[in-house]
Amino acid sequence: LVRASIGIFKNFEKTMGRDIGLVEGGYLLTAYTEGEVERYKKAIAMQNEVGADVRLVTPEEVREIVPYYNTEGLLAGAYCPDDCHSDPFLVTVGYAENAERLGVEVNLHTEVKAIKKEGSRTKTVVTNRGDINCNWVVNAAGGYSAEIGRMLGLDLLTVSYRHQILVTEPIQRIQDPLIVNFYHQIYFRQTAHGSFLSGQSDKGEKPSHNVRGTWPFMVEQAKKLTHLVPALKDISVVRQWAGLYNMSPDAQPILGRVPGVENFIVAIGFSGHGFMLAPVVGVLMAEQIVYGEARTLPIDELNIERFKDGMPSSKEANVV
């Protein structure tokens, strides 16, 4: 799914006519324990089998890739130079503009209040700005996906948690890849115009729709960032914000049809991996509607029915 999405991202400006701030800077996961190293080795072997250029790198090689990174305590890294990052706001606007050119009506500031059924089919979406009759309903509501499901009497098994991010003032270019550090529970990258974006999973966070920023987050992030990249110690934070991670029981997305409602499909529970999967998931959801099945890639193993016999004994470990 990720590899298919990367292809769409890299051709976005050509096909959609909008610059999305794409930076092909790579992706670096750092390992500080032997357990992490072994996990990365297994993941890299699988990724290499499907043609991804991912390799295990030494602390010395990490310093070559990211010269300002503090490698104290570092055992290894998993590095893919082909990975990229871009601006999700510009991507969203690019899709919306092209959809509108094709005749799609985009309703902003429109709250879904209820969904009416007729037999086993959805019939009408009730909003604060009027009713919308529909042939299909796609639940891609992110942090509110479970609430949409409950409108149809469905338990979609997703739960939402607050995740916070900060952005600094811009500085000269010192880092290309996105760095994900599970040991210190932090991820950060330098944007095209020089600022650093950084976030983490807050300890003890409870399920909620709370998207307020907190001062303890800022303090903890400052300590982590200045330890890992000492060159950032004198720069200023310009703002912070929070959003929702929509988590599934196994931290993998839930895609496709839902038993009990014929014309209702979901793209939910991405567990922090939504943006990187979004372009191809959009294609797959369209295929489900038009053809009755996903054709670009098989997604049956990501259907909600994988949980029908109970909750998973294990879950995706690479979530930060």
Side-chain angles (χ1 to χ4, degrees):
L1 290 171
V2 172
R3 291 183 65 210
S5 285
I6 287 175
I8 297 173
F9 279 126
K10 289 185 176 181
N11 287 293
F12 200 97
E13 186 170 4
K14 180 179 178 181
T15 58
M16 297 287 192
R18 173 168 281 278
D19 177 8
I20 56 171
L22 189 76
V23 176
E24 297 184 49
Y27 209 107
L28 176 65
L29 279 65
T30 54
Y32 288 81
T33 68
E34 293 295 344
E36 283 186 314
V37 174
E38 290 306 310
R39 191 169 82 234
Y40 290 170
K41 285 180 178 178
K42 290 179 181 178
I44 290 169
M46 178 273 291
Q47 292 158 354
N48 290 162
E49 283 182 12
V50 298
D53 179 16
V54 187
R55 61 183 184 268
L56 197 72
V57 291
T58 65
E60 292 73 25
E61 289 172 314
V62 168
R63 285 299 296 268
E64 292 176 8
I65 297 165
V66 192
Y68 290 89
Y69 190 78
N70 175 11
T71 56
E72 178 186 354
L74 183 68
L75 299 182
Y79 177 58
C80 179
D82 295 335
D83 286 342
C84 51
H85 49 261
S86 66
D87 187 323
F89 301 103
L90 296 177
V91 172
T92 302
V93 170
Y95 274 119
E97 289 173 339
N98 281 274
E100 288 178 320
R101 277 197 282 271
L102 292 170
V104 173
E105 180 181 312
V106 178
N107 294 298
L108 303 177
H109 309 292
T110 304
E111 180 185 359
V112 175
K113 310 291 285 187
I115 303 176
K116 295 179 180 178
K117 287 173 59 179
E118 190 173 277
S120 61
R121 296 179 60 84
T122 61
K123 181 67 175 177
T124 305
V125 175
V126 179
T127 81
N128 62 329
R129 297 175 62 190
D131 294 355
I132 302 172
N133 293 326
C134 51
N135 293 321
W136 285 88
V137 172
V138 180
N139 180 359
Y144 292 85
S145 61
E147 286 74 13
I148 295 296
R150 285 196 283 272
M151 292 177 185
L152 291 167
L154 301 170
D155 180 4
L156 298 181
L157 305 176
T158 57
V159 181
S160 295
Y161 294 86
R162 174 179 60 182
H163 279 246
Q164 301 184 65
I165 292 178
L166 62 79
V167 60
T168 73
E169 63 182 330
I171 63 171
Q172 68 181 32
R173 192 92 193 151
I174 64 171
Q175 178 178 317
D176 289 327
L178 166 68
I179 295 178
V180 182
N181 182 326
F182 296 108
Y183 183 80
H184 293 97
Q185 277 293 298
I186 189 173
Y187 58 89
F188 54 95
R189 69 174 176 90
Q190 190 170 17
T191 66
H193 84 293
S195 65
F196 270 78
L197 287 172
S198 180
Q200 69 178 34
S201 300
D202 289 328
K203 297 186 184 100
E205 192 71 35
K206 296 180 180 179
S208 75
H209 292 106
N210 179 12
V211 290
R212 291 184 176 180
T214 66
W215 178 248
F217 163 81
M218 293 283 283
V219 173
E220 189 172 348
Q221 283 279 287
K223 290 178 180 178
K224 290 179 181 179
L225 273 175
T226 53
H227 169 70
L228 294 170
V229 188
L232 301 182
K233 67 183 180 67
D234 293 323
I235 69 172
S236 300
V237 174
V238 296
R239 71 185 183 100
Q240 70 180 106
W241 72 95
L244 300 175
Y245 267 29
N246 190 227
M247 304 295 296
S248 73
D250 59 3
Q252 299 282 10
I254 302 172
L255 305 178
R257 296 172 182 270
V258 177
V261 187
E262 294 177 21
N263 57 340
F264 179 72
I265 58 178
V266 300
I268 62 176
F270 287 93
S271 307
H273 301 106
F275 182 63
M276 68 174 71
L277 302 177
V280 74
V281 167
V283 172
L284 293 165
M285 296 303 99
E287 290 175 348
Q288 291 241 313
I289 293 171
V290 175
Y291 306 121
E293 62 180 1
R295 294 186 174 181
T296 297
L297 288 168
I299 57 171
D300 288 347
E301 291 184 10
L302 294 173
N303 191 280
I304 196 170
E305 291 191 90
R306 70 184 186 268
F307 304 116
K308 66 182 179 182
D309 295 325
M311 293 298 103
S313 57
S314 62
K315 62 191 297 185
E316 170 61 49
N318 294 327
V319 176
V320 64

